[in-house]
Amino acid sequence: AIALPSSGARIGLIEQLQNLKVRAAYKRWDSADGAAVKRAAPKDVLRIVDDALDVFARLDVLTEMTGAGQNLTSDREGQKGSALKRKAMLETGRARQTWLKEMTGVYKSGMDIAEQSNPGTLHIQCAFNWVIGHLVLGKTDAAGLPLEVWFERLRDSARQEL
């Protein structure tokens, strides 16, 4: 779909494939035995994450160029956030903080897109990870509200969906 837009490939399937690649690579690394393997393998996982983020960026351009719906979708933003979360989990120090901030911003974008598409809707995956991102970054509020208020909104939204 990226190299040949007329191929008819479904963008959602490409997004899911990238998401699965990132999750599988991270899971393999996380379950590996031995410190030496753990030290060496993050580079492979980071490469896969970077490749997925590149594909997501190219899909954004593709949908913009072809007019195939919105440029961004809340689901794609959630998958980007998931990839960035894994990248942050593999990094340390300033790099980790940088990826956590970027992850939090992407999840917020997903929340905003969901709200624009369907006012009053809270994209639970994006919202949960957005709030957790703030918590991990040591913040006590998000968008001017205490994190406790956001956890209550998440709980209420989850109850409505069940």
Side-chain angles (χ1 to χ4, degrees), residues 67-82:
Q70 291 179 273
N71 292 343
L72 302 173
T73 66
S74 56
D75 288 339
R76 187 180 306 157
E77 294 299 278
Q79 291 167 350
K80 287 179 197 174
S82 178

Side-chain angles (χ1 to χ4, degrees), residues 9-52:
R10 294 196 47 213
I11 288 176
L13 294 175
I14 296 168
E15 294 169 349
Q16 280 298 325
L17 177 61
Q18 298 311 307
N19 187 34
L20 292 172
K21 284 180 180 180
V22 168
R23 288 174 178 269
Y26 183 83
K27 186 174 182 175
R28 275 192 309 273
W29 172 83
D30 192 42
S31 63
D33 290 330
V37 172
K38 289 257 186 175
R39 280 193 304 274
K43 293 175 187 167
D44 296 333
V45 179
L46 290 169
R47 181 187 45 77
I48 291 167
V49 170
D50 288 339
D51 289 349

Side-chain angles (χ1 to χ4, degrees), residues 120-122 124 127 148-162:
T121 298
L122 187 64
I124 292 178
E148 293 82 12
V149 171
W150 286 106
F151 282 119
E152 289 171 13
R153 283 194 66 196
L154 283 164
R155 182 196 62 217
D156 295 343
S157 291
R159 285 181 178 161
Q160 288 175 0
E161 286 193 20
L162 293 177

